[in-house]
Amino acid sequence: MPNSKPIGILAKDLGERLARFRLSRNLRQVDLAEQSGISRGAIVRIEAGEGGTIDSLLRILQALGLEDRVEMLLPDARLSPLDPRSEIGPRQRARTPSADEPAAEPWNWGE
């Protein structure tokens, strides 16, 4: 993806946002660790953008009262009930395009 940020930068940005949000709630890292049930060291690493687990991130978000925002990370990929393809159910796996299929070109306005 041409405009994508490297993972390290995304992790650092997310960690900085978490730290700012925690501080805006006047919480120390040790308090957040206690409330989330993870170690202070894990919080330090996540806030520094140095890694962590999805479980730890979700526990932090829950302790900060942000668990409802997790659904904004990814849109629901289920098909519309008005779409006839919905009758076949959700996709279980993706497949590699065959050599006969043309490569999908990005759609642009006015073309």
Side-chain angles (χ1 to χ4, degrees):
M1 291 182 216
N3 295 328
S4 296
K5 290 183 181 180
I7 296 298
I9 293 175
L10 287 172
K12 187 168 175 48
D13 289 349
L14 179 61
E16 289 172 357
R17 287 180 183 204
L18 282 170
R20 284 193 305 266
F21 193 86
R22 174 183 57 77
L23 291 170
S24 75
R25 300 300 184 261
N26 199 28
L27 281 171
R28 300 176 305 160
Q29 288 175 332
V30 69
D31 298 328
L32 183 57
E34 186 177 306
Q35 291 176 15
S36 62
I38 61 174
S39 71
R40 180 182 169 275
I43 291 172
V44 168
R45 285 189 300 278
I46 290 171
E47 287 186 354
E50 296 174 356
T53 66
I54 292 175
D55 181 67
S56 294
L57 178 60
L58 292 173
R59 287 173 182 261
I60 290 170
L61 293 174
Q62 188 173 39
L64 293 172
L66 298 172
E67 67 272 10
D68 60 325
R69 311 254 178 115
V70 173
E71 293 194 20
M72 292 188 321
L73 292 174
L74 289 172
D76 189 351
R78 289 181 282 188
L79 297 174
S80 165
L82 300 176
D83 188 336
R85 294 176 293 169
S86 295
E87 295 175 9
I88 60 174
R91 292 190 64 166
Q92 298 298 312
R93 63 181 65 91
R95 65 177 177 85
T96 305
S98 70
D100 297 338
E101 293 180 32
E105 294 292 322
W107 185 82
N108 293 313
W109 282 98
E111 293 185 0

